[in-house]
Amino acid sequence: MSGEAQWFQISKVEDRHIPSSAQLPDSFENLYDAHGLLPFPIGNDPASCKLLVKNSNIIPQCIEAYKRNIAGYGIALEYLPGESDETALEEWNKADKFLETCNLEDTPDEIISSLIEDIESSGNANVEVAWPAGSEFPTLYRINPKFVRCTRETDKVTIKRKRLIRSSKKVEEFSQDIYARKYAMKRGQSVVWFRSFGTEGQGNQIIPLKLGNDGPYGEPRWFGNAPGVVGSREAEELNVSYFSNGRMLSMLLTVTNGRLTKQSMELLRNVKGAQSQGGILYLEAIGEETGGPLDEKVEKVTIKLDKLNDLLQQDALFLEYGKDKKADILSAFRLPPILVGQSSDYNRATAQAALRFAEEQVFEPYRKWIMDEIFNKRLFPAMGIFRVRATLRGPRIIDPEDRKALLEFIADNGIMLVRDLIPIAEEVLDTTIDESKYSAEYLDTPIAQLLNSQPAITVPEPDSDVNDLQERVATIAKRLLRQSHDEVTGHV
């Protein structure tokens, strides 16, 4: 080893690379040319996209927020404008029965939730529509986009659709020529073919959903930030390595007129992490011998350490970089931070404003889009349902100022009755009030009339928020109902 330069690795370097699509197995390998299928663009196949999602520290929360807020409140039916039980009760019952039986293991909102996860993870989702001959209703299945590929739009087909014409309120049939794709699903070693829903032919049908209109496949909304996803992951792993191995700079260790002992080499190899703090590094070197057999002269040994770079590592490297990348992903999803648990700078007013924005600009349009694509434009008309539509429920978000103004108006003008306070009190107090305890005459008394005769009812309770009108109304409701109940009990 004397006189030879060498690289001495202080810490072990591990391969933490996030695989790309080129490194992931493709279940359709060698089948594209044989069946005329189209491959995904490099790096954009569902398996690679889902792997990136798995390695992200923010995308899973965003997808979960989408699932919870879009499909988490359940599915409902509603009549189209101008329709009612008198005109469309039979269609309502048919639609309700279909939603209850379209899949015996998963409810429709659970299927929708799975489709949202597929769309937001990979940009693609697929619904299999299995409609056995003679069956009244089809069965719906979610197909993993990882196992689906499509052909080019080479087949010109005629589709027929029935639509309810609003002006005449009559159902008419229309036909159009379109270029349709075929879809293949890999099941084990075999390929199962599907046709686009509504096209003529044999076999099961498929309803493909995707984000974007450029090309046969979709692209997740966060895909433009894929380098940031990888970078954030690498930055976090670098931090883990830093805290595990300690503050180590690349250095050039020079030993002049000698060499380090094996014990010193082993010591350098192990000096890292917590055990290297608060100690003194003692290195031992053996000098080179000069002279003859009778003159055992040893040269003076010199040890020198020089920095190969001036990088000063600090705790939590790339912390700002990680924050910036999270902000970019949230922007791609158009989500306020409070919906993914980052709510340190929110108060009640700003939180409600953020939730209202997300509801109006993101979740509500998404609900309408996905329900129209699956049910209202395709499945329902195919089953003869034209006057009823399926919707995804949403949360009740009411502007506090609007609610305050409304309550003040109806109370001041004598519109609000005592019985109108009951649902408000039940909501705030999270309880159920038995209306049978009170007389109908008392429940129909205008609140303004009682407040004029008993002004003490409006005095806020101690430690209450006097600026929250809903809380005050609930307090008034408790007092009025308690007072009425006491009077009834006293007369008995």
Side-chain angles (χ1 to χ4, degrees), residues 97-373:
K97 185 177 180 180
F98 165 67
L99 292 178
E100 292 182 357
T101 60
C102 65
N103 190 299
L104 300 182
E105 293 186 349
D106 300 318
T107 62
D109 48 303
E110 289 174 340
I111 296 176
I112 295 295
S113 181
S114 299
L115 295 175
I116 292 173
E117 182 172 358
D118 288 339
I119 295 172
E120 299 306 323
S121 296
S122 66
N124 300 271
N126 301 282
V127 183
E128 177 184 353
V129 183
W131 205 326
S135 176
E136 182 181 10
F137 302 122
T139 302
L140 305 183
Y141 301 98
R142 169 253 179 187
I143 307 178
N144 192 329
K146 181 170 61 175
F147 303 121
V148 177
R149 301 293 186 271
C150 69
T151 65
R152 299 182 184 276
E153 293 179 328
T154 55
D155 298 329
K156 188 175 182 180
V157 298
T158 299
I159 59 172
K160 296 181 180 180
R161 297 283 191 274
K162 291 183 178 181
R163 292 289 185 265
L164 175 65
I165 307 303
R166 295 182 181 179
S167 58
S168 63
K169 291 189 175 294
K170 293 182 179 180
V171 177
E172 300 182 22
E173 186 176 71
F174 301 87
S175 61
Q176 290 179 347
D177 292 337
I178 65 169
Y179 286 94
R181 304 181 189 273
K182 290 182 180 179
Y183 294 82
M185 179 176 66
K186 185 76 177 297
R187 280 182 174 169
Q189 299 301 318
S190 62
V191 175
V192 180
W193 289 93
F194 295 87
R195 56 189 171 91
S196 298
F197 184 83
T199 58
E200 297 180 354
Q202 301 295 322
N204 289 347
Q205 305 175 78
I206 191 172
I207 300 177
L209 304 171
K210 66 176 184 176
L211 294 180
N213 298 310
D214 186 15
Y217 302 113
E219 183 178 274
R221 66 184 75 245
W222 51 264
F223 196 71
N225 293 298
V229 174
V230 177
S232 296
R233 175 76 178 196
E234 294 290 346
E236 291 184 352
E237 291 186 344
L238 179 60
N239 277 323
V240 172
S241 175
Y242 167 70
F243 288 118
S244 299
N245 297 326
R247 189 188 301 262
M248 296 299 296
L249 292 176
S250 298
M251 288 187 173
L252 178 66
L253 188 149
T254 306
V255 181
T256 305
N257 296 326
R259 65 180 183 274
L260 292 177
T261 63
K262 291 184 179 180
Q263 292 83 356
S264 295
M265 297 282 283
E266 188 64 27
L267 179 63
L268 277 176
R269 180 179 285 109
N270 295 323
V271 175
K272 60 182 180 179
Q275 63 182 352
S276 66
Q277 299 178 8
I280 297 175
L281 178 63
Y282 173 77
L283 296 178
E284 185 179 45
I286 301 176
E288 294 289 344
E289 296 182 2
T290 61
L294 301 177
D295 184 12
E296 297 181 356
K297 183 179 180 181
V298 179
E299 292 288 340
K300 181 180 180 181
V301 181
T302 303
I303 300 176
K304 184 179 180 182
L305 291 173
D306 295 304
K307 294 181 182 179
L308 289 180
N309 59 61
D310 293 326
L311 173 65
L312 178 60
Q313 296 187 1
Q314 300 175 351
D315 291 350
L317 296 173
F318 303 109
L319 184 61
E320 294 302 320
Y321 174 82
K323 290 181 179 178
D324 291 341
K325 295 301 104 181
K326 284 185 178 180
D328 291 342
I329 297 296
L330 286 173
S331 177
F333 280 91
R334 301 180 67 200
L335 287 177
I338 189 174
L339 287 176
V340 294
Q342 300 179 6
S343 57
S344 59
D345 57 343
Y346 280 84
N347 55 38
R348 181 175 181 179
T350 57
Q352 287 188 329
L355 294 176
R356 188 165 60 252
F357 164 81
E359 178 64 24
E360 294 175 355
Q361 300 295 319
V362 181
F363 302 139
E364 187 175 347
Y366 203 120
R367 293 189 198 103
K368 184 179 186 304
W369 168 73
I370 198 168
M371 296 304 287
D372 285 348
E373 290 296 314

